Amino acid sequence: MSSITASVPLRAPRRAWLTDLPVLLVAVVWGASYLAAKGITTTHTVVAVLVLRFAVVLPALVVAGWRGLRALGPAQWRGAGLLGLVLSGIFLLETYGVVHTSATNAGLIISLTMILTPLAEAAVTRTRPPRAFLAAAALSVAGVVLLTQGGGFTTPSLGDLLMLLAALARTVHVLAMSRIKAVRSADSLSLTTVQLVTAVGVFALLATLPGTGASPLATALDFGPREWAGLVFLSVFCTLFAFYVQMWAVRRTSPSRVSLLLGTEPLWAAAAGIALAGDRPGALGLAGAVLVLAGTTWGRRAADEGAR
């Protein structure tokens, strides 16, 4: 498909699923993160929650990866730090976006990552993505549109613009992980740790500025058992596990393939809404879910054929 994809050894279909399944699990937990984030975040606690979300897992990460961190070279530190800055932007845009728009709009707009990534990858590598892959991505996006219509697409707002910027930032993050050579040669745990340390540093700095809302300490003291459970879920599964798997997978397959699999996130968000919030998608929503699954399966095969 591209020079990036060509540099990855070809894998048998069965081995490909060993890479795809963890990425799909990331899409599942990210889909559930909308409900979790809305349950513990307000417009006045966005930065504070982000500080807490990252700080919860950092001590364990530093201890577990201390030897790997000491082995990182200057170029690897710079590359991971740059990725951490992009990551902090993604979380700020997504969290403020979710707070200022509907979950329906957020899920639809962020799913554009799966078509933005192959287009951006093609532009960077000056190659043309397979038509089948683009058609599969378009089918998945159409499925997301139908899937989210059960909740009603509201008038575009500031939150919608923030989610669109978040989709662009996600695309940049995935491409950067695959193209920064120093990052590709380091272990995933160390790189994930450096990224999260960089991000929490950005959030902690923002928390000291006036007008950014409640402090992390005040927010933590106001949390009850339900809020802490939501924060742990966001920290361990939606942050630590998700970005470790993403970095691990993007070096074993193409950025486009990873983004397509992560693009099923709105499907799992709808599933979480149905199971936990009592949402009812209706016939259009169910049809959309089928299209998302069909488009993702087709796209995986198209990505494999492009790699060959």
Side-chain angles (χ1 to χ4, degrees):
M1 179 174 176
S2 69
S3 59
I4 298 176
T5 307
S7 67
V8 181
L10 296 179
R11 299 163 291 120
R14 184 172 299 179
R15 292 188 62 192
W17 272 108
L18 296 179
T19 301
D20 291 347
L21 284 176
V23 179
L24 279 175
L25 186 55
V26 170
V28 172
V29 297
W30 274 356
S33 70
Y34 287 104
L35 283 178
K38 278 187 170 294
I40 66 173
T41 312
T42 68
T43 55
H44 300 292
T45 62
V46 169
V47 174
V49 167
L50 287 174
V51 171
L52 295 172
R53 174 177 178 174
F54 281 68
V56 164
V57 296
L58 277 183
L61 270 178
V62 172
V63 171
W66 181 248
R67 181 175 298 180
L69 288 172
R70 295 181 63 184
L72 292 178
Q76 292 169 328
W77 276 96
R78 289 193 297 270
L82 177 61
L83 289 174
L85 291 176
V86 178
L87 182 62
S88 66
I90 292 172
F91 274 98
L92 284 168
L93 290 167
E94 285 187 355
T95 309
Y96 275 112
V98 168
V99 169
H100 288 91
T101 190
S102 66
T104 296
N105 285 29
L108 172 58
I109 296 169
I110 202 66
S111 71
L112 295 176
T113 303
M114 62 181 161
I115 199 166
L116 290 173
T117 299
L119 292 176
E121 185 181 9
V124 170
T125 60
R126 296 182 181 181
T127 59
R128 185 173 183 176
R131 292 181 180 179
F133 186 92
L134 292 178
L139 183 65
S140 297
V141 172
V144 172
V145 173
L146 292 178
L147 182 64
T148 56
Q149 285 308 294
F153 189 79
T154 63
T155 303
S157 64
L158 173 61
D160 297 329
L161 175 60
L162 294 175
M163 294 306 299
L164 177 59
L165 293 175
L168 291 170
R170 279 195 185 190
T171 298
V172 171
H173 191 257
V174 172
L175 291 179
M177 281 192 294
S178 69
R179 295 191 64 82
I180 299 177
K181 293 181 179 179
V183 169
R184 297 185 67 184
S185 63
D187 72 282
S188 298
L189 179 60
S190 299
L191 294 176
T192 301
T193 302
V194 175
Q195 284 190 81
L196 297 187
V197 168
T198 302
V200 79
V202 171
F203 301 143
L205 178 63
L206 290 176
T208 64
L209 301 177
T212 54
S215 69
L217 178 59
T219 302
L221 293 176
D222 287 339
F223 275 3
R226 183 180 67 84
E227 287 79 12
W228 277 109
L231 183 68
V232 169
F233 172 74
L234 290 172
S235 298
V236 176
F237 293 99
C238 302
T239 303
L240 174 60
F241 168 76
F243 285 94
Y244 179 86
V245 168
Q246 190 178 5
M247 292 204 67
W248 170 80
V250 80
R251 291 182 290 177
R252 288 163 174 78
T253 183
S254 71
S256 297
R257 185 181 178 111
V258 171
S259 289
L260 187 70
L261 292 168
L262 293 178
T264 63
E265 176 185 335
L267 174 64
W268 308 115
I274 293 171
L276 302 177
D279 294 342
R280 294 293 179 265
L284 284 180
L286 293 177
V290 172
L291 289 181
V292 171
L293 292 176
T296 303
T297 302
W298 184 17
R300 289 180 61 255
R301 293 177 180 175
D304 283 342
E305 292 174 0
R308 294 189 185 96

